[in-house]
């Protein structure tokens, strides 16, 4: 009987599916997949990937979010050192407050340094202003542009982001070549990302892309990353994934003031897993040679995508679980981790049940390393949202695929639509009658 | 002298009635105008004169309906004592039974006021059930066609409600109304009709009627619409399981702005219903209990709560093939599996779900809807629906044609068009003489 064949066949598949990763029963030839438990984040190595202001912000974020005191102090220490190299006294005071003297006298408030920096800043600002005024009176476009640009850089270095943004945007009126425009756009994008205003990011990315001749491969990669980040923040995971996947390998280390190549792989991989269907996943991620370069940098993500595609769900979910702690410390990804994980898990469940007529819930619970009751609840939610077409036999703990009877459904719809039409037209005729009466009343009143 | 003269003229009137009533339509029209002229003669409040009631015995209600009507109306316009009320009610009901429809249709206002007085008497006597049957006959006689709404409809429905004769009320509600004269009658008709349907648990029809009140064109907000809106929220929750607070486009702006302000507890109830949790719903009901009671809606609110149980169980049929009674009780938040069994049993009997209960295992097996849409009855049903809808479409296009020939409409359109299209010499006259 066909049903029995199905059951026999899928029992065999089930064995392979759930006995994966680690020592499987039966001693089948195992793929050597060392399951790396996401080790605790090495703060120094992580920070080395970035430069500029984002390095400081990321370190501060880690210090804020992680529970491990030693990691916290490590991050704060590195942040302090980094800030001292720059000129931002506001953040300096913040960090000093957070350190609270825990790192010894070398990391205390350094009023001398702060004052010196502030004085220098004031002097520089005056100088820049004088220069700018001179240029403005001379009306030399290029110099004015450079003047505003310098102002923007100055404010950015001192942490006055809104001012920096304003100045960068002012250069637009004095841009003469498309290279200038692209340069302005990149600056604006950088500041917007730091400020967290991603609508600006999207608009400036599209503006920059309008002049394709000035956009070389590196810039193009940078723009793709920025656009991807904007979509990620806007919770448009599919678009974000596409943008990250289109990023060329020329990005390399050129955009460390915003994003590292590892991040491109992580964000792109996770968003793709959560939002692409199988064909897209295969063509755009797995077979994508460009993206492979990025994936090499984060082998866990590569492994987990492979596992998902080959239906080894337990190991895929295990990788995800291990990475979670570190992903929560990432400044851009942390509020999306839960959603992405849920979406990936749901996709796994749906994909698992898709090819079968009936599924034994016990085996499925093993494959997903969860209890039967919990699995039932998850499946119930998915069935209610109509993502899985099936019904659960709770007595025997089996999931049966169920395809709606088109013919009956059509009849039902027809009768229902007919009834609705009936009701609506009758209501309309009534309203017409009421309005006619009202109108006749008004007309007769006017006549009198 | 005067007394005699007036009595004489009344008698002369009676004679005229007797003479002309059996005649042609022209005779009837003549009689009608005579009666209209002699109205004040009949209605004088001079207590020395013999009351018109005494002349009633000379007239036969079935032959001289029009005249009888005038005399009856005059006699009942005087204040009636409590003892006399029973007799008056009886005489009116006999008249209604016996009168000729085409005659009374000549003087509809009088007929309506007589019937209204009848209703008042019946209510005074606290026996509304006595009025139900006569009013039904009255409504049917007054209606020119079954599509017309008369001012007596709401009075009739009110009596049915008070007497709890819902089935009789339903028989009138089954007619589709297309012509309405007075908005107030219409609102009351729909409101009372909605209440009767709720009483009979026909929630689809109730929802339809109340929807019509809420979305009817109105220039100012009225209390009927407010009360109807409250009930409409409750009925939508029972029937459709959801309530959307946005009004359809054709609702009057007055209603859109103001209705929600009066029904806040009901909107809260709708919000807690949408969460799908019994506990939230119950706590919301507890919170607003006095307000629901004050509006006399507590019974319907209780039905809303029980409908939530039903809806939750129905949702289970979509996801499970078999489920233990324990699990049903847990997911629907019932107290025990025994209660769950009772609920499921009730629903199976009412035809709301298809299932079998296996008491030995404590399992319920959910079945598919056995309707295959292959029987002769189903084909007949579909066929008749098609016919009905085609008739409706024809009606709609006929109405459209009628309005486009209506002089009032054309005048208004012509006026507005002229304002904007100077070069447009289309032959729409600016002002039609009416």
């Amino acid at each position: 009987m066909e049903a029995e064949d199905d059951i026999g066949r899928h029992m065999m598949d089930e064995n392979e599916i759930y006995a994966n990763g680690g020592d499987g029963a039966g001693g089948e030839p195992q793929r050597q997949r060392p399951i790396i438990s996401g080790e605790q984040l090495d703060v120094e190595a992580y920070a080395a990937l970035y430069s500029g202001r984002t390095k400081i912000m990321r370190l501060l974020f880690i210090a804020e979010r992680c529970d491990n005191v030693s990691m916290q102090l490590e991050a704060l220490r590195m942040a302090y050192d980094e800030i001292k190299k720059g000129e931002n006294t506001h953040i300096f005071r913040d960090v000093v407050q957070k350190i609270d003297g825990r790192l010894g006298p070398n990391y205390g408030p350094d009023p001398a340094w702060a004052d010196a920096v502030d004085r220098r800043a004031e002097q520089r600002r005056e100088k820049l202003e004088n220069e700018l005024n001179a240029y403005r009176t001379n009306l030399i476009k290029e110099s004015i542009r450079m003047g505003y640009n310098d102002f923007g850089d100055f404010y950015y270095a001192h942490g006055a982001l809104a001012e920096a943004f304003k100045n960068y945007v002012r250069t637009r009126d004095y841009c003469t070549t498309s290279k200038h425009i692209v340069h302005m756009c990149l600056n604006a994008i950088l500041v917007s990302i730091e400020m967290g205003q991603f609508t600006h990011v999207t608009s400036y990315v599209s503006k920059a892309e309008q002049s394709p001749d000035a956009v070389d491969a590196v810039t193009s990669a940078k723009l793709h990353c920025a656009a991807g980040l904007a979509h990620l923040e806007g919770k448009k995971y599919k678009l974000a994934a596409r943008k990250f996947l289109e990023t060329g390998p020329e990005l390399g280390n050129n955009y460390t003031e915003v994003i590292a190549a590892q991040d491109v792989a992580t964000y792109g991989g996770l968003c793709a897993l959560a939002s692409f269907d199988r064909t897209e996943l295969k063509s755009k991620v797995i077979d994508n040679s460009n993206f492979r370069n990025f994936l090499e940098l984060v082998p866990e993500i590569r492994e987990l995508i492979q596992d998902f595609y080959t239906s080894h769900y337990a190991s895929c979910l295990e990788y995800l679980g291990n990475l979670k702690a570190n992903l929560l410390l990432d400044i851009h990804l942390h509020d999306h981790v839960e959603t992405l994980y849920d979406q990936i898990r749901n996709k796994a469940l749906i994909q698992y049940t898709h090819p079968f007529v009936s599924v034994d819930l016990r085996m499925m619970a093993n494959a997903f390393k969860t209890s039967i009751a919990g699995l039932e609840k998850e499946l119930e939610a998915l069935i209610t949202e109509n993502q899985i077409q099936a019904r659960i036999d709770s007595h025997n703990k089996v999931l049966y695929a169920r395809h709606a009877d088109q013919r009956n459904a059509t009849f039902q719809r027809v009768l229902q639509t007919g009834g609705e039409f009936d009701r609506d037209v009758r209501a309309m005729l009534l309203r017409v009658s009421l309005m006619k009466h009202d109108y006749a009343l008004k007309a007769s009143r006017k006549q009198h | 002298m005067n007394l005699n003269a007036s009595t004489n003229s009344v008698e002369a009137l009676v004679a005229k009635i007797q003479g002309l009533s059996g005649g042609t339509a022209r005779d009837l029209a003549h009689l009608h105008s005579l009666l209209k002229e002699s109205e004040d003669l009949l209605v004088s409040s001079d207590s020395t004169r013999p009351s018109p009631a005494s002349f009633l015995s000379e007239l036969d209600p079935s032959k001289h309906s029009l005249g009888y009507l005038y005399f009856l109306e005059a006699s009942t316009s005087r204040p009636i004592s409590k003892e006399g009320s029973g007799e008056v009610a009886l005489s009116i009901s006999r008249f209604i039974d016996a009168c000729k429809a085409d005659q009374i249709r000549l003087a509809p206002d009088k007929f309506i006021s007589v019937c209204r007085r009848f209703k008042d008497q019946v209510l005074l006597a606290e026996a509304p059930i006595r009025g139900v049957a006569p009013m039904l006959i009255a409504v049917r006689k007054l209606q020119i066609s079954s599509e017309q709404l008369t001012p007596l409809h709401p009075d009739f429905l009110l009596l049915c409600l008070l007497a709890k004769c819902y089935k009789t009320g339903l028989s009138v509600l089954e007619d589709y109304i297309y012509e309405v004269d007075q908005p107030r009658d219409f609102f009351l008709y729909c409101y009372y009709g909605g209440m009767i349907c709720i009483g009979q648990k026909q929630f689809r029809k109730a929802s339809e009627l109340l929807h019509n009140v809420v979305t009817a064109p109105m220039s100012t907000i009225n209390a009927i619409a407010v009360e109807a809106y409250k009930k409409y929220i409750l009925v939508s929750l029972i029937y459709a399981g959801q309530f959307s607070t946005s009004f359809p486009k054709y609702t009057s702006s007055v209603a859109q702005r103001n209705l929600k302000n009066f029904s806040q507890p009901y909107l809260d109830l709708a919000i807690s219903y949408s969460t799908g949790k019994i506990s939230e719903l119950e706590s919301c009901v507890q919170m607003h209990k006095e307000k629901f009671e004050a509006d006399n809606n507590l019974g319907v609110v209780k039905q809303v709560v029980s409908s939530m149980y039903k809806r939750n169980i129905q949702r289970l049929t979509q996801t499970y093939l078999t489920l233990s009674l324990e699990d049903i009780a847990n997911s629907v938040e019932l107290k025990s599996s025994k209660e769950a069994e009772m609920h499921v049993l009730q629903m199976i009997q009412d035809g709301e779900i298809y299932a079998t209960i296996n008491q030995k295992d404590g399992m319920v097996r959910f079945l598919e809807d056995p309707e295959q849409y292959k029987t002769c009855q189903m084909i007949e049903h579909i066929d008749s629906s098609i016919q009905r809808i085609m008739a409706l479409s024809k009606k709609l296009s006929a109405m459209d044609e009628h309005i486009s020939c209506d002089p009032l409409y054309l005048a208004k359109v012509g006026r507005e068009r002229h304002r904007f299209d100077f070069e447009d010499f289309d032959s729409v006259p600016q002002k039609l003489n009416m």
Side-chain angles (χ1 to χ4, degrees):
Chain A
M1 225 177 55
E2 209 172 19
E4 271 172 350
D5 276 347
D6 276 346
I7 296 175
R9 224 180 304 136
H10 84 75
M11 284 242 270
M12 200 167 61
D13 291 340
E14 305 259 354
N15 270 330
E16 190 180 53
I17 285 172
Y18 88 82
N20 59 42
D23 29 357
E28 315 148 32
Q30 298 292 319
R31 260 185 268 148
Q32 278 315 103
R33 267 185 281 102
I35 297 182
I36 307 167
S37 53
E39 66 262 8
Q40 202 173 47
L41 190 66
D42 182 353
V43 182
E44 262 192 70
Y46 180 73
L49 294 169
Y50 304 98
S51 67
R53 191 191 157 84
T54 189
K55 184 169 176 178
I56 303 170
M57 300 314 289
R58 281 171 190 260
L59 285 169
L60 287 177
F61 189 77
I62 292 176
E64 209 182 317
R65 285 299 171 101
C66 84
D67 300 320
N68 188 330
V69 179
S70 61
M71 250 173 87
Q72 226 177 30
L73 289 175
E74 179 74 13
L76 285 170
R77 187 182 63 78
M78 296 194 64
Y80 187 96
D81 289 333
E82 193 62 31
I83 295 174
K84 267 267 173 89
K85 293 186 207 151
E87 299 190 351
N88 193 335
T89 48
H90 292 286
I91 293 196
F92 179 73
R93 290 197 192 97
D94 271 344
V95 166
V96 163
Q97 220 178 16
K98 288 200 178 113
I99 293 179
D100 211 12
R102 286 180 286 176
L103 288 171
N106 284 341
Y107 290 96
D110 197 345
W113 177 86
D115 286 335
V117 167
D118 283 337
R119 248 181 292 123
R120 264 205 313 269
E122 191 53 36
Q123 284 173 342
R124 177 143 175 82
R125 201 179 65 77
E126 270 185 50
K127 178 160 157 271
L128 282 174
E129 213 170 310
N130 293 335
E131 279 180 12
L132 188 62
N133 285 331
Y135 294 147
R136 268 213 289 248
T137 41
N138 289 339
L139 285 180
I140 311 170
K141 260 199 168 175
E142 181 57 24
S143 340
I144 301 178
R145 189 186 74 86
M146 293 303 306
Y148 275 121
N149 222 4
D150 289 339
F151 247 117
D153 291 337
F154 168 76
Y155 279 124
Y156 181 69
H158 284 268
L161 293 174
E163 285 293 324
F165 186 71
K166 259 200 299 197
N167 281 301
Y168 283 134
V169 170
R170 276 204 203 120
T171 65
R172 173 151 127 237
D173 302 326
Y174 306 99
C175 292
T176 41
T177 68
S178 37
K179 253 202 167 356
H180 295 162
I181 297 181
V182 170
H183 184 242
M184 175 216 56
C185 289
L186 281 176
N187 283 330
I189 290 172
L190 180 62
V191 181
S192 308
I193 293 180
E194 287 293 327
M195 286 201 289
Q197 286 175 357
F198 287 93
T199 38
H200 287 166
V201 174
T202 337
S203 57
Y204 281 102
V205 164
S206 44
K207 196 174 290 191
E209 278 170 357
Q210 273 164 9
S211 23
D213 43 334
V215 171
D216 56 349
V218 174
T219 324
S220 166
K222 288 187 190 176
L223 292 173
H224 278 135
C225 285
L229 269 180
H231 286 306
L232 177 65
E233 288 296 324
K235 298 198 199 298
K236 302 201 181 88
Y237 301 122
K238 200 164 192 162
L239 294 170
R242 290 214 183 111
K243 285 288 172 189
F244 283 124
L245 292 169
E246 283 166 18
T247 312
E250 302 82 14
L251 179 72
N253 286 327
N254 292 322
Y255 212 24
T256 52
E257 57 265 24
V258 172
I259 195 174
Q262 278 88 336
D263 291 336
V264 173
T266 317
Y267 300 166
L270 284 178
C271 291
L273 251 190
S275 54
F276 285 179
D277 57 8
R278 273 182 78 84
T279 38
E280 227 179 334
L281 194 68
K282 175 122 177 92
S283 61
K284 291 223 174 112
V285 181
I286 299 180
D287 291 344
N288 185 343
S289 45
N290 274 342
F291 198 63
R292 198 169 296 160
N293 299 329
F294 287 109
L295 278 179
E296 294 301 322
L297 300 166
V298 250
E300 289 120 342
I301 303 275
R302 188 195 60 210
E303 287 309 316
L304 83 87
I305 295 182
Q306 281 289 358
D307 281 339
F308 187 90
Y309 190 72
T310 51
S311 310
H312 291 83
Y313 300 111
S315 82
C316 170
L317 291 172
E318 207 178 312
Y319 273 121
L320 277 179
N322 291 331
L323 286 174
K324 192 170 182 179
N326 288 338
L327 289 177
L328 282 172
L329 293 173
D330 181 293
I331 200 171
H332 291 295
L333 198 58
H334 67 279
D335 15 330
H336 304 278
V337 170
E338 287 297 340
T339 328
L340 285 171
Y341 271 44
D342 282 338
Q343 283 189 2
I344 296 177
R345 192 182 169 83
N346 285 345
K347 273 184 149 251
L349 287 169
I350 297 171
Q351 212 176 272
Y352 185 97
T353 57
H354 190 66
F356 299 116
V357 166
S358 64
V359 175
D360 184 350
L361 289 181
R362 279 174 272 262
M363 300 198 122
M364 190 169 171
N366 269 336
F368 282 87
K369 297 276 182 351
T370 169
S371 66
I372 296 190
L375 183 66
E376 244 186 74
K377 282 270 163 291
E378 285 186 81
L379 286 174
E380 190 184 325
L382 284 173
I383 294 175
T384 320
E385 290 163 22
N386 214 13
Q387 306 232 36
I388 301 185
Q389 272 83 40
R391 282 160 86 195
I392 305 176
D393 181 343
S394 181
H395 188 45
N396 302 321
K397 302 292 177 210
V398 179
L399 182 81
Y400 288 102
R402 173 237 214 167
H403 300 287
D405 185 340
Q406 287 284 44
R407 184 175 170 280
N408 283 355
T410 314
F411 269 101
Q412 249 181 335
R413 281 291 315 277
V414 162
L415 285 171
Q416 193 188 348
T417 316
E420 279 169 23
F421 177 82
D422 204 6
R423 206 186 52 207
D424 289 339
V425 171
R426 273 189 280 120
M428 258 198 276
L429 289 171
L430 267 170
R431 281 196 295 278
V432 167
S433 178
L434 278 170
M435 285 202 274
K436 217 170 30 163
H437 162 82
D438 188 41
Y439 196 73
L441 208 61
K442 278 204 203 124
S444 64
R445 245 186 269 142
K446 253 193 247 177
Q447 277 186 323
H448 290 156
Chain B
M1 196 60 224
N2 252 346
L3 187 68
N4 278 336
S6 55
T7 323
N8 278 340
S9 47
V10 176
E11 285 192 351
L13 195 58
V14 171
K16 272 270 189 293
I17 293 174
Q18 285 167 332
L20 288 171
S21 285
T24 64
R26 258 192 55 206
D27 286 341
L28 271 178
H30 180 52
L31 177 62
H32 192 200
S33 44
L34 268 177
L35 283 169
K36 275 202 271 206
E37 284 161 20
S38 344
E39 249 194 86
D40 33 335
L41 191 61
L42 293 169
V43 194
S44 75
S45 55
D46 188 346
S47 53
T48 57
R49 288 235 213 93
S51 88
S54 50
F55 291 98
L56 283 176
S57 46
E58 297 176 30
L59 295 172
D60 177 5
S62 53
K63 278 195 276 195
H64 313 129
S65 305
L66 190 55
Y68 198 98
L69 177 60
Y70 268 81
F71 273 85
L72 192 58
E73 202 265 334
S75 70
T76 53
S77 62
R78 301 180 182 188
I80 305 170
S81 60
K82 194 131 199 287
E83 309 82 49
S85 76
E87 231 200 75
V88 168
L90 197 57
S91 66
I92 298 183
S93 74
R94 270 202 223 113
F95 167 65
I96 294 175
D97 215 14
C99 68
K100 252 171 114 171
D102 45 348
Q103 286 203 17
I104 54 153
R105 281 192 202 138
L106 291 173
D109 300 328
K110 295 245 175 258
F111 187 65
I112 290 169
S113 71
V114 164
C115 291
R116 286 228 169 106
R117 286 193 202 131
F118 171 62
K119 176 195 90 177
D120 294 334
Q121 293 304 317
V122 156
L123 285 179
L124 255 168
E126 288 171 17
I129 194 157
R130 284 176 56 194
V132 170
M135 279 298 253
L136 179 59
I137 301 174
V139 163
R140 290 275 175 244
K141 286 199 179 163
L142 188 58
Q143 267 185 330
I144 300 177
S145 77
S146 72
E147 295 176 357
Q148 189 203 22
L149 183 73
T150 66
L152 285 180
H153 273 90
D155 296 317
F156 167 66
L157 289 178
L158 178 62
L159 282 176
C160 287
L161 267 175
L162 291 170
K164 299 210 193 310
C165 295
Y166 297 135
K167 285 221 182 71
T168 339
L170 263 185
S171 64
V172 164
L173 286 169
E174 270 165 17
D175 296 332
Y176 294 133
I177 302 284
Y178 294 116
E179 289 165 41
V180 176
D181 280 329
Q182 283 288 344
R184 187 166 172 275
D185 292 334
F186 174 67
F187 291 149
L188 280 175
Y189 166 79
C190 286
Y191 180 63
Y192 291 143
M195 284 171 73
I196 290 183
C197 291
I198 295 177
Q200 285 291 94
K201 300 220 196 300
Q202 290 208 10
F203 294 110
R204 194 190 60 82
K205 201 163 169 65
S207 166
E208 198 182 313
L209 285 164
L210 292 168
H211 178 82
N212 281 341
V213 184
V214 169
T215 57
M218 52 179 116
S219 47
T220 51
I221 195 80
N222 58 56
I224 308 174
V226 170
E227 293 302 315
Y229 187 61
K230 293 179 187 167
K231 289 203 166 59
Y232 178 59
I233 298 178
L234 295 174
V235 169
S236 309
L237 288 178
I238 298 179
Y239 173 62
Q242 58 187 355
F243 177 74
S244 81
T245 49
S246 61
F247 291 99
K249 278 193 296 197
Y250 43 80
T251 322
S252 65
S253 52
V254 176
Q256 284 194 25
R257 276 199 299 261
N258 294 320
L259 278 178
K260 287 195 200 157
N261 301 340
F262 294 99
S263 3
Q264 202 44 48
Y266 297 85
L267 291 169
D268 291 338
L269 191 70
I271 295 175
S272 64
Y273 191 95
S274 62
T275 62
K277 291 205 179 22
I278 293 279
S279 41
E280 282 214 33
L281 189 64
E282 301 241 312
S283 61
C284 186
V285 172
Q286 272 307 110
M287 216 169 28
H288 298 292
K289 201 163 172 182
E290 296 87 40
K291 294 201 202 93
F292 291 148
E293 241 170 312
D295 290 332
N296 281 330
N297 281 333
L298 195 58
V300 190
V301 170
K302 293 216 169 94
Q303 292 193 40
V304 170
V305 175
S306 63
S307 84
M308 170 161 258
Y309 284 115
K310 288 196 192 144
R311 214 162 283 285
N312 284 343
I313 296 182
Q314 271 172 339
R315 211 164 346 126
L316 287 174
T317 65
Q318 292 302 313
T319 40
Y320 287 93
L321 259 183
T322 63
L323 194 58
S324 70
L325 286 167
E326 278 288 329
D327 287 331
I328 296 183
N330 283 339
S331 66
V332 180
E333 292 182 47
L334 284 167
K335 291 190 207 66
S336 69
S337 57
K338 266 267 158 261
E339 265 197 49
E341 192 177 331
M342 270 180 6
H343 267 99
V344 174
L345 192 60
Q346 188 63 38
M347 285 175 76
I348 297 177
Q349 283 177 340
D350 292 337
E352 285 162 0
I353 56 171
Y354 304 99
T356 53
I357 306 180
N358 183 336
Q359 282 191 326
K360 188 166 72 127
D361 297 332
M363 279 281 158
V364 179
R365 184 176 197 84
F366 296 118
L367 307 163
E368 294 278 346
D369 180 358
E371 176 63 65
Q372 285 293 317
Y373 299 97
K374 286 184 185 153
T375 60
C376 281
Q377 287 100 316
M378 183 50 72
I379 304 223
E380 256 184 64
H381 175 59
I382 295 181
D383 195 47
S384 65
S385 304
I386 296 178
Q387 300 295 340
R388 196 181 67 228
I389 290 188
M390 277 168 57
L392 251 187
S393 288
K394 280 208 195 81
K395 204 181 180 65
L396 192 60
S397 23
M399 175 156 276
D400 186 40
E401 273 186 42
H402 178 76
I403 289 189
S404 35
C405 310
D406 188 312
L408 285 171
Y409 170 74
L410 284 173
K412 180 154 195 208
V413 167
R415 240 180 286 139
E416 281 185 356
R417 277 183 67 182
H418 189 83
R419 214 180 298 155
F420 295 114
D421 303 326
F422 294 111
E423 307 88 20
D424 195 359
F425 282 102
D426 258 341
S427 54
V428 176
Q430 190 177 6
K431 183 174 159 73
L432 284 181
N433 290 327
M434 292 174 288

